[in-house]
Amino acid sequence: MKKWLLGLCLLFGLATLSVCSFSDGLLIGKTQRELQDAAFSDKGRVEVPEDSYKIGTLGGRKVRMSSYQVQDVSYTDTPTAFSKDWETYKAPPRTYDSVLTGFDFYLNYETGVIRDIRHDDGFYDELKVSGTPWIFVGVGNNLHPLDKTPDQFDRLLATRLRTTNPPYRRYVRLPDEDLYGLEQYRVLGINPETGLLYRNEPGNNEDDIFINRSKDGHVLSYIACATNTDVPNPPCSHKFLFRKSGLDINFSLGYSRHRLYDWRKIEGQAGKAVLAFAEAADKDIEAVLIMKRREAKNEAVNATGY
């Protein structure tokens, strides 16, 4: 893949909410196809087969996903886009034993529908609607030892709550003002030069933070939302761990702050979507085993005559 094409796709991806996807060297997506039509002859096009699937091991379970639904699929041996090995990298054939590092997709959390680029007419218009139900779902495999510790997000919050931080980055918890069952943390300092709250000043980059804790006090969900709530979709980034049904993974979500009230449902729907990928793999593996048993039985019949 030429670096200029990578840069072009990344640029367009930022403009269209990260639709550019480099999956083991496979370029997919509606916008990408249009770029290829303009830039390449038929010989240079990259096509995704109708029955194309991504498979591998994620968080302790096998998964099977449509290439038309997931993007940015990477494995432990996939080089980064800016690695010197990227241009010459050729992905090996993937099996269910290939270990995934992560992937992402778009999910309408109200309906449970995962975006499929073959049937996404109106998708970009829906993204622009204030309070859109579409969320960006990033999935990561908990491969690093630090990913296994219960204080992973405790450390993240602790860096924001340091009293040594400058005033415009100094967070405090709003006492007795939990929102939707979440602890609230804000930068409340006042700029002595302007008399304005730091969080209300133009160019402020310090988000409001919302925390969900376990019974033993560990941070389970870490949500950071933009303070400019007067725009159609002020962004929230939402991190949480998912350790259920044999899966050990982490999520990084992106959605409109106007949907923060539904954070529990959003977590549930994201987890349900990935569990569906695992269930699809289970069914596929079982179907292959059944087919092999039948083939073995037929071979035995042919060899013995009965």
Side-chain angles (χ1 to χ4, degrees), residues 57-63 141-142 148 242-249 274-275 278 282:
T57 296
L58 176 77
R61 290 192 64 175
K62 314 299 185 186
V63 291
N141 203 345
N142 288 331
K148 308 295 185 181
F242 187 88
R243 289 168 174 154
K244 298 177 182 178
S245 303
L247 277 173
D248 184 0
I249 57 179
V274 176
L275 281 174
D282 291 343

Side-chain angles (χ1 to χ4, degrees), residues 181-230:
L182 298 165
E183 297 175 4
Q184 292 190 78
Y185 295 84
R186 292 183 180 179
V187 173
L188 295 181
I190 297 176
N191 188 333
E193 296 181 2
T194 64
L196 297 175
L197 288 170
Y198 285 115
R199 68 186 302 274
N200 293 337
E201 287 194 316
N204 166 60
N205 293 317
E206 302 307 312
D207 296 328
D208 291 342
I209 297 175
F210 304 91
I211 298 296
N212 173 43
R213 294 184 186 270
S214 64
K215 292 181 180 179
D216 56 3
H218 289 299
V219 176
L220 295 177
S221 307
Y222 181 100
I223 308 173
C225 297
T227 61
N228 57 330
T229 57
D230 57 344

